[in-house]
Amino acid sequence: MKVIFAGTPEFAATALAAIHKAGFDIPLVLTQPDRPAGRGMHLHASAVKQYAQEHNIPVAQPISLRLNGKYPDVAAEAHDLLHNTEHDVMVVAAYGLILPMSVLEIPRLGCLNIHGSLLPRWRGAAPIHRAIEAGDTETGITIMQMEEGLDTGAMLLKQSISINSTETTGSLHDKLAAMGGEMIVQALHQLEQGPLTATVQPEQGTTYAAKISKEEAALDFHQPAEVLARKIRAFNPFPGTHAQYGNSTIKIWAAQTVTTNKTGAAPGQILTASAQEGILVASGEGVLKLTELQKPGGKRLPAAEFLQGFPLTPDMQFNRT
């Protein structure tokens, strides 16, 4: 069976590698155009493009697939390429471009999507972040038959995984990426034998995982400590949470809630800041212990090491930036 693959980040590259290693013929890969990144803002290829080039798989990087959009000539060229590339099915994982019906209808067996949640919960752009932020105890992968709606297609395969109390988006991403690779290979093998069983998504339980904005990364210590701890885990490694201390913006990479008799302080007030007691900060409800921090221009450090190079003063305030 011939599989066109569309995806961009590392999550998608893991799936592409799994399909390739399983022996499927991949005549074409679609991925986002190269983007500027790093201090020099040089153009960098996506993780999917890098894998494809390393394994001599043809790559196309259209900026749009919408024939009636801003770049109709580019979209028309991409449509011609898809029509002229022999394939049976398209697999899509975190591609970053909307696939219009004119594209979804091209593959003989349609388009399959690898989605990082247990649909219909967390449709949308940031399902891993939002699951941790909301305090979900489980998530998973759904292999879905794509349609025009936002992650609304019929479910073909589904597998769950627990979210532990120390899980970050980074660690959960890697687990789900590996799971997604295994599941899409399973789905493709089954598809070779005949149609997969499709289950229509229920509307009950639908939630939307909005794209993460940098503005959300500022911690509001008026929120409960438990909410802050989840957010810090959810935003690790991207975009990272932060708070203002004097004139410095401190990134906070890890924290946990603690029980203490130090009560009555204003939200954001530093209660203790020592290697022995740790960095304890009052919140709107409860106390947060900061365990990994980063000063401007510095490295991520455990709290005790951070304090050696950036002393914090008890009774001072962390504020939103």
Side-chain angles (χ1 to χ4, degrees):
M1 189 160 63
K2 296 181 182 292
V3 182
I4 286 181
F5 185 88
T8 298
E10 194 63 43
F11 182 90
T14 301
L16 173 60
I19 295 169
H20 181 248
K21 291 173 183 177
F24 289 98
D25 185 355
I26 307 171
L28 177 66
V29 159
L30 300 180
T31 191
Q32 288 265 6
D34 296 357
R35 305 291 189 196
R39 289 187 177 181
M41 296 301 286
H42 300 297
L43 289 177
H44 282 257
S46 71
V48 163
K49 180 180 178 179
Q50 291 177 44
Y51 183 90
Q53 290 183 324
E54 289 168 5
H55 295 86
N56 300 313
I57 303 172
V59 176
Q61 298 175 272
I63 196 171
S64 173
L65 293 171
R66 290 184 172 276
L67 294 171
N68 60 351
K70 187 176 179 181
Y71 305 97
D73 293 342
V74 172
E77 184 178 340
H79 277 65
D80 289 343
L81 178 61
L82 292 172
H83 279 291
N84 294 326
T85 301
E86 184 182 349
H87 66 289
D88 302 289
V89 65
M90 182 186 292
V91 171
V92 182
Y95 180 27
L97 287 185
I98 294 174
L99 270 60
M101 185 56 70
S102 57
V103 169
L104 297 176
E105 292 176 337
I106 294 174
R108 178 175 65 87
L109 298 174
C111 299
L112 307 186
N113 179 250
I114 308 169
H115 188 74
S117 80
L118 298 175
L119 292 171
R121 186 157 178 80
W122 301 126
R123 295 173 179 170
I128 302 176
H129 293 79
R130 299 305 183 189
I132 293 176
E133 185 182 25
D136 290 4
T137 57
E138 71 169 2
T139 187
I141 291 288
T142 304
I143 305 297
M144 173 188 68
Q145 189 82 46
M146 293 183 70
E147 58 180 36
E148 276 198 298
L150 177 63
D151 299 328
T152 57
M155 301 178 293
L156 305 175
L157 292 177
K158 206 171 182 178
Q159 186 173 325
S160 64
I161 186 174
S162 61
I163 302 176
N164 65 50
S165 60
T166 60
E167 203 82 72
T168 65
T169 286
S171 62
L172 186 56
H173 165 280
D174 292 349
K175 294 176 183 178
L176 290 175
M179 180 185 289
E182 293 172 1
M183 290 177 66
I184 193 60
V185 168
Q186 178 186 348
L188 291 173
H189 280 310
Q190 291 183 19
L191 196 59
E192 285 182 312
Q193 308 305 316
L196 285 84
T197 301
T199 303
V200 176
Q201 290 189 44
E203 283 304 313
Q204 184 177 6
T206 297
T207 55
Y208 290 90
K211 184 178 179 180
I212 301 296
S213 68
K214 290 185 178 180
E215 289 73 23
E216 292 181 84
L219 294 177
D220 181 359
F221 285 96
H222 289 85
Q223 293 183 316
E226 179 58 41
V227 171
L228 294 170
R230 292 201 307 261
K231 185 169 189 173
I232 290 166
R233 290 191 289 114
F235 284 42
N236 182 352
F238 175 83
T241 58
H242 53 80
Q244 193 76 14
Y245 180 79
N247 295 322
S248 298
T249 299
I250 305 298
K251 282 213 164 189
I252 300 169
W253 292 106
Q256 61 193 57
T257 59
V258 294
T259 302
T260 177
N261 58 5
K262 298 177 184 292
T263 58
Q269 182 177 333
I270 298 173
L271 304 176
T272 66
S274 68
Q276 295 73 31
E277 295 183 277
I279 302 172
L280 302 185
V281 183
S283 72
E285 182 182 324
V287 173
L288 193 66
K289 183 176 183 179
L290 310 184
T291 57
E292 186 179 10
L293 305 91
Q294 181 180 6
K295 68 180 181 180
K299 298 179 180 179
R300 294 170 56 161
L301 294 172
E305 293 182 36
F306 176 84
L307 289 171
Q308 292 175 12
F310 196 101
L312 299 176
T313 304
D315 297 330
M316 286 284 287
Q317 294 280 130
F318 276 114
N319 300 302
R320 293 192 68 175
T321 52

